[in-house]
Amino acid sequence: MSKINSTRYELKQLFQLMIPILVTQFAQAGFGLIDTIMAGHLSANDLAAIAVGVGLWIPIMLLFSGIMIATTPLVAEAYGARTFDKIGTIARQSIWIALILGIIAGLILQVMPFLLPLFGVPEKLIPKASLFLHAIGFGMPAVTMYAALRGYSEALGHPRPVTAISLIALVALIPLNYLFMYGAGPIPALGSAGCGFATAILQWLMLIALALYVFKASAYQKTQPFSVLEKLDPYWIKRIFKLGFPIGLAIFFEVSLFSTAAIVLSPLGEITIAAHQIAISLTTILFMVPMSLAIALTIRIGIHYGEKNINAMQKVQILGFITATLLALISMAVLWLYRPEIISFYTQDFDVGIIAMHLILYAIAYQLMDSWQVSAAGCLRGMQDTKGPMWITMVAYWVVAFPIGIYLVRFTDTGASGVWIGLIIGLSVACVLLLSRLYLNNKRLHQQFKQP
């Protein structure tokens, strides 16, 4: 195969994975968008309560479901090495572990509301935020098991079933939210807290749909995870946790910084929190673009890692970073040109809109760094290097960004901008360190695989 054809082939493979994954990511980010918009049309108080509830739920959810991302590189490696008999075992062991982790996460969310006063959350926001957390906790086992099945399916090159289920769920969330927010028959009107009940129900429906599809579809029969019932295997428990726990922690360190920013800002009042939530919701949606690319990079590099083909791995990386840069520039242009229109879609409150307009400028500033760092992390996961990125993420976000953000918010007159300045600095540090580690990994694997 010529170099040009090889490049075209890799680019085609990358985009065939990325596009359906991107649609899936957008759909899942759309869950939060729908919650935010529907709560915002109730009141600023409802929007602020959702901001606090989501700020605590998202880090917990991503920590535990992030561990299950280990399924993706493990299945991809087995696929690249042509050891197909291992794939079903990996999936089965991942589902068992996901069930246990989901139950633990659900219990944590039941306790979390009791900590809201300690976080300085205004008293009038606590009832709705607490009910949201109690309700959504029941959906956590479905979230983690769905993450395991999703990683299995996508690593085999079948992201479309997950995409279809996510799109259907996105549409279904609107009437479910409406039902629990406004009430009907025996169901009381719960306001913004109703989003928690709707989301939990939806997560279980998504898991059932994906499990049934995997069980029935011919594409999965060779590696069928539901063909036998296996006990938990200590070997695979160790492998999945060794690879997945650092992934979950790395995601937790990053996302919790963004999410807990609402709590840091809570003393500034519900108007500021609401504006911050709009900016975070918007940037979360845009982040799905480089995140989808990173997942595709993990799969393609994971397959070549199983093949021990360092040249192909480096080709995928080059194509990935070129794509990441172009996509980040497009995101920056969209944010700059359409800020007023985007914000008006979220809220008609003038005071909230003015602050949100300002905060989006900071979001524009970190798009490139964010895109590069998540792409580097995706490449490293494909190489099954997760412990180093975990420590990098912890230092960048919680040793650097978080203290800077708190200091600027509480001890200067920067207001909500202080949190975002801290985010930019943290993302920049993470980007430089992850790119440096990727460079060193490439050198190491070049020697290990002994390719010219």
Side-chain angles (χ1 to χ4, degrees):
M1 181 180 290
S2 69
K3 182 177 180 180
I4 293 177
N5 287 337
S6 178
T7 299
R8 288 176 178 173
Y9 173 78
E10 286 296 351
L11 196 60
K12 180 181 178 182
Q13 293 296 310
L14 200 60
F15 273 89
Q16 282 181 341
L17 285 169
M18 177 189 167
I19 291 173
I21 291 173
L22 176 59
V23 176
T24 300
Q25 294 293 107
F26 269 130
Q28 294 191 343
F31 298 159
L33 173 64
I34 289 173
D35 288 347
T36 301
I37 291 172
M38 294 183 74
H41 282 83
L42 287 174
S43 68
N45 178 270
D46 280 280
L47 183 56
I50 280 291
V52 172
V54 169
L56 293 170
W57 170 63
I58 289 291
I60 298 297
M61 183 270 289
L62 289 178
L63 168 63
F64 285 88
S65 63
I67 294 172
M68 303 321 304
I69 293 177
T71 309
T72 302
L74 287 173
V75 171
E77 180 196 17
Y79 185 83
R82 302 296 186 265
T83 52
F84 299 111
D85 56 308
K86 289 184 179 180
I87 295 176
T89 297
I90 294 170
R92 284 187 285 273
Q93 294 296 315
S94 294
I95 293 168
W96 270 119
I97 292 170
L99 173 60
I100 295 169
L101 291 177
I103 293 171
I104 294 171
L107 293 174
I108 291 173
L109 287 170
Q110 300 309 311
V111 175
M112 196 65 71
F114 299 105
L115 303 178
L116 293 180
L118 301 179
F119 294 144
V121 176
E123 188 174 346
K124 61 183 176 180
L125 301 181
I126 290 178
K128 289 180 180 177
S130 296
L131 185 56
F132 173 88
L133 291 168
H134 283 311
I136 209 164
F138 290 105
M140 278 308 305
V143 171
T144 50
M145 288 190 287
Y146 185 84
L149 268 183
R150 174 186 171 178
Y152 157 76
S153 183
E154 289 177 346
L156 291 179
H158 306 305
R160 289 177 179 81
V162 179
T163 302
I165 292 170
S166 298
L167 288 173
I168 294 169
L170 185 64
V171 176
L173 180 61
I174 297 173
L176 275 174
N177 265 355
Y178 190 89
L179 177 64
F180 285 97
M181 290 173 73
Y182 295 96
I187 299 175
L190 300 172
S192 58
C195 297
F197 289 91
T199 300
I201 292 169
L202 198 63
Q203 295 293 348
W204 281 104
L205 294 175
M206 290 172 65
L207 172 64
I208 293 168
L210 183 56
L212 286 174
Y213 184 84
V214 168
F215 181 69
K216 293 288 187 180
S218 59
Y220 304 96
Q221 297 312 307
K222 190 174 182 180
T223 60
Q224 178 57 245
F226 300 119
S227 59
V228 296
L229 183 63
E230 288 182 0
K231 294 181 179 179
L232 276 169
D233 186 331
Y235 170 79
W236 286 110
I237 293 174
K238 182 178 179 181
R239 283 210 65 184
I240 291 169
F241 269 97
K242 184 177 180 180
L243 188 60
F245 192 64
I247 296 175
L249 277 181
I251 295 173
F252 174 80
F253 290 143
E254 179 176 357
V255 176
S256 60
L257 178 67
F258 283 80
S259 299
T260 55
I263 297 171
V264 173
L265 294 173
S266 60
L268 300 182
E270 65 184 36
I271 298 297
T272 298
I273 298 175
H276 170 79
Q277 179 62 17
I278 289 171
I280 282 291
S281 175
L282 177 59
T283 54
T284 298
I285 291 172
L286 288 176
F287 181 69
M288 296 303 101
V289 178
M291 173 60 81
S292 301
L293 176 62
I295 295 171
L297 287 170
T298 296
I299 294 168
R300 290 304 301 163
I301 289 176
I303 290 172
H304 293 311
Y305 181 82
E307 297 170 341
K308 302 188 184 301
N309 189 341
I310 184 63
N311 292 331
M313 291 169 65
Q314 290 177 330
K315 184 182 292 293
V316 171
Q317 290 173 49
I318 292 170
L319 293 173
F321 277 101
I322 291 172
T323 304
T325 302
L326 293 174
L327 292 173
L329 293 174
I330 292 171
S331 294
M332 293 167 72
V334 169
L335 285 175
W336 177 259
L337 293 173
Y338 298 104
R339 280 183 299 154
E341 291 82 2
I342 293 170
I343 291 171
S344 66
F345 188 65
Y346 280 90
T347 183
Q348 298 300 317
D349 188 300
F350 178 79
D351 293 331
V352 173
I354 288 295
I355 298 174
M357 281 278 286
H358 178 68
L359 295 180
I360 287 177
L361 294 176
Y362 293 99
I364 294 172
Y366 70 62
Q367 289 302 305
L368 273 174
M369 288 293 183
D370 204 17
S371 190
W372 290 338
Q373 67 88 17
V374 74
S375 296
C379 293
L380 290 167
R381 286 171 194 157
M383 300 172 181
Q384 301 192 16
D385 178 10
T386 59
K387 188 175 290 186
M390 176 194 72
W391 291 114
I392 288 172
T393 305
M394 186 195 73
V395 170
Y397 300 137
W398 285 97
V399 176
V400 177
F402 189 67
I404 290 174
I406 287 185
Y407 173 78
L408 292 175
V409 169
R410 301 294 172 88
F411 301 104
T412 71
D413 60 356
T414 55
S417 299
V419 163
W420 289 77
I421 292 170
L423 292 176
I424 291 172
I425 295 171
L427 284 168
S428 300
V429 171
C431 181
V432 171
L433 294 178
L434 286 169
L435 287 174
S436 299
R437 187 168 184 88
L438 182 59
Y439 173 76
L440 294 174
N441 262 24
N442 283 326
K443 289 185 66 175
R444 175 179 61 81
L445 291 177
H446 211 287
Q447 292 295 322
Q448 182 179 325
F449 295 158
K450 297 181 180 179
Q451 292 185 356

